[in-house]
Amino acid sequence: FLKAYDDDDIENTMYYATLTQVGYTDLRGFSFGIGFRGIYGQLDKKVNPFKDDEKDVSALGARIKLLYTLPLRIKTIVSGTYNYAPKSLCFSDDLTAYKEYRFEINAEPIDGGWLYAGLRDLEFEFDEDKLPSGVDNTYTLNHAFYVGFKLYF
């Protein structure tokens, strides 16, 4: 899940379910993945374009992922991911598109321990005809740099 805060420190929580199949290519070091990402959450009434109570958003997006393993002593992977759901795969009445991209670098300094850092952009597009006049139909929920550490057992 993702807890995202906007410029006014308003918290929005999104839940994800992801399925990605990654395969290796004939190009040394490159891998390519395709799959799906489901997303569900609520936008706080202070930030959603409709200014009503919390706005439910849900979608099932197609996912593509490209990975490159750098030829270094420490296993290091650079990756880019793009998720997109058109209106037909958006399950909220007023949602017309869901888009998300990520650029990330991962390094494994110890067996099963991965350091990672990346840039994420998550946005929703709403039906312009249903919005109040003068309101932008694109809402960027999260545009942020992130870091962390993962342990695999």
Side-chain angles (χ1 to χ4, degrees):
F1 79 100
L2 165 70
K3 282 192 180 276
Y5 296 87
D6 67 2
D7 294 336
D8 297 322
D9 286 333
I10 296 171
E11 178 184 311
N12 295 282
T13 302
M14 295 288 137
Y15 298 93
Y16 295 101
T18 303
L19 175 66
T20 306
Q21 176 64 43
V22 176
Y24 296 97
T25 66
D26 291 337
L27 299 171
R28 186 178 173 147
F30 281 97
S31 303
F32 179 75
I34 58 172
F36 300 97
R37 171 169 268 192
I39 183 170
Y40 169 78
Q42 293 181 327
L43 299 179
D44 187 278
K45 68 180 179 180
K46 295 176 185 170
V47 297
N48 82 61
F50 295 93
K51 303 296 183 202
D52 54 9
D53 289 331
E54 292 182 341
K55 187 77 174 164
D56 288 337
V57 290
S58 59
L60 179 63
R63 177 180 179 90
I64 58 171
K65 186 169 190 169
L66 181 64
L67 302 99
Y68 178 67
T69 303
L70 297 172
L72 302 173
R73 250 180 357 111
I74 295 175
K75 187 172 183 180
T76 305
I77 300 171
V78 177
S79 66
T81 306
Y82 183 71
N83 303 300
Y84 176 74
K87 184 176 183 174
S88 60
L89 293 173
C90 293
F91 308 115
S92 305
D93 292 338
D94 307 315
L95 191 61
T96 58
Y98 150 68
K99 300 174 187 176
E100 179 179 4
Y101 68 81
R102 292 174 185 247
F103 297 103
E104 191 171 272
I105 186 164
N106 295 270
E108 186 181 29
I110 59 173
D111 286 343
W114 288 84
L115 289 168
Y116 63 92
L119 176 68
R120 167 184 47 236
D121 187 81
L122 171 62
E123 67 180 43
F124 299 101
E125 289 182 8
F126 293 95
D127 188 347
E128 290 182 32
D129 297 334
K130 295 182 180 178
L131 288 170
S133 63
V135 175
D136 186 14
N137 77 319
T138 301
Y139 176 69
T140 300
L141 175 66
N142 191 242
H143 181 80
F145 178 76
Y146 58 92
V147 296
F149 186 76
K150 299 177 197 174
L151 284 176
Y152 292 94
F153 299 98

